Amino acid sequence: MPEGHTIHRLARDLRKDLTQRNVPVSSPQGRFAESACVLDGDVVSRVEAAGKHLFMHWESDQILHIHLGLIGKFRPYPVNDPLTGEIRLRLEGEKTAWHLTGPQTCVLVEPAVVAGVLDGLGPDPLRRDGRRGDFVDRIAGSKKAVGAILLDQDVIAGIGNVFRSELLFMVGIHPSTPSNSLTEDQADEIWNIAADLLRVGVKLNRIVTVTPEDAGAARWRLSDDERLYAYKREGLPCRRCGTEIVIGKVANRSMWWCPRCQPG
DNA sequence: TCTTTATGGTGAG
DNA sequence: TCACCCTAAAGAT
């Protein structure tokens, strides 16, 4: 579920469903019960996404910091649906109730915490303040493998394990390539494609990287088996050259690439 | 009915 | 580099 596109889409949907109304807030599971009481009936004033972080600002000046982590989900359900599972946080809208399960972070914070998180993040292509130049500088300033550095949230905020494999496939760069050996044009291209793919992700509410040219169809039409170039496709033929996609470990996590399209 | 896995991040050794 | 946290769904038995 959660790379940057998920969080920005959530911010948009939560804004639409929950602002300008008193929101019943609860924690059916109980682990957020005390804070839920503090927020119960409050009004959402602003919802902000930064990389994989979500901040909900309330009119009482409370700020709710949410990070989904690997397994967290924040999804809408009909308000009258029976409650099942480990619902840490429930926000009730008019027809829709949002259920948060398995988050890495769900806590009320002071403004200084928000500032600290924002300060620690690299540029986010989905934010107005996300500067491509900052990304290019950070790419040039590290000798780590590019496949590793793309996961560093202080280099570029919002990229995760799916996007890093897909990005490097699309620019034709081997994941082990030292970051500081990329040309400025290559870094620019990674940024531009990342921005494009993230925007597509927000729009479709899922990651689809295969281009209409390669697919012969619009992105929104592609099935789960058709939408990615490399991620989880080890042993399958590359969509561009037919060579078998390979899998390896980069920065302690699985990574996929085409040995022919991404020589190294 | 198990075990494994997942688009993430932290903190200890 | 590793264990660990959180949860649900998919896969193996």
Side-chain angles (χ1 to χ4, degrees):
Chain A
M1 277 297 281
E3 294 192 29
H5 68 295
T6 304
I7 310 307
H8 283 264
R9 175 60 181 254
L10 262 175
R12 181 209 281 182
D13 292 345
L14 291 167
R15 225 152 21 218
K16 182 161 63 73
D17 270 14
L18 299 176
T19 49
Q20 294 182 312
R21 54 183 293 111
N22 295 295
V23 179
V25 179
S26 60
S27 177
Q29 173 208 52
R31 293 182 60 165
F32 188 66
E34 265 188 51
S35 299
C37 283
V38 173
L39 293 177
D40 192 26
D42 208 341
V43 175
V44 176
S45 54
R46 194 158 63 89
V47 186
E48 178 182 23
K52 299 169 187 172
H53 296 261
L54 184 72
F55 298 103
M56 298 187 73
H57 300 257
W58 301 74
E59 288 193 350
S60 61
D61 285 338
Q62 296 286 348
I63 305 169
L64 176 58
H65 178 202
I66 291 171
H67 191 297
L68 294 180
L70 181 59
I71 64 172
K73 306 222 184 304
F74 203 177
R75 295 186 299 204
Y77 297 84
V79 281
N80 292 324
D81 259 27
L83 306 187
T84 60
E86 298 291 311
I87 305 169
R88 182 84 59 92
L89 168 71
R90 183 172 190 270
L91 302 176
E92 194 177 310
E94 187 182 356
K95 294 178 176 164
T96 300
W98 289 83
H99 293 185
L100 173 68
T101 61
Q104 173 172 119
T105 304
C106 174
V107 62
L108 295 177
V109 295
E110 298 296 319
V113 172
V114 180
V117 169
L118 296 180
D119 190 50
L121 288 175
D124 176 346
L126 291 178
R127 283 172 65 97
R128 292 181 189 288
D129 56 6
R131 304 293 312 131
R132 176 174 59 186
D134 292 342
F135 170 72
V136 174
D137 291 346
R138 289 169 209 208
I139 285 291
S142 171
K143 58 186 180 186
K144 287 171 71 171
V146 64
I149 206 169
L150 287 178
L151 285 184
D152 289 352
Q153 300 301 297
D154 57 349
V155 170
I156 179 170
I159 298 305
N161 210 30
V162 177
F163 277 132
R164 74 160 173 168
S165 281
E166 296 298 300
L167 279 170
L168 291 183
F169 175 89
M170 293 176 85
V171 294
I173 295 172
H174 191 281
S176 300
T177 311
S179 180
N180 62 4
S181 73
L182 299 188
T183 65
E184 193 174 325
D185 281 352
Q186 285 178 313
D188 266 352
E189 194 184 3
I190 292 174
W191 173 270
N192 290 336
I193 294 175
D196 177 54
L197 293 181
L198 282 163
R199 280 191 278 265
V200 169
V202 172
K203 185 169 181 179
L204 301 181
N205 213 1
R206 64 178 186 147
I207 299 176
V208 181
T209 61
V210 175
T211 63
E213 302 80 68
D214 282 338
R219 276 181 162 137
W220 63 269
R221 290 183 176 278
L222 302 185
S223 71
D224 284 350
D225 289 339
E226 301 170 319
R227 69 195 171 101
L228 303 174
Y229 287 107
Y231 179 77
K232 276 195 177 171
R233 295 196 69 244
E234 70 272 22
L236 295 172
C238 171
R239 300 192 192 281
R240 293 214 170 128
C241 77
T243 303
E244 279 192 11
I245 299 294
V246 299
I247 182 173
K249 285 270 190 198
V250 179
N252 231 2
R253 300 188 67 191
S254 296
M255 167 119 208
W256 293 260
W257 66 92
C258 170
R260 179 152 162 191
C261 295
Q262 301 165 259

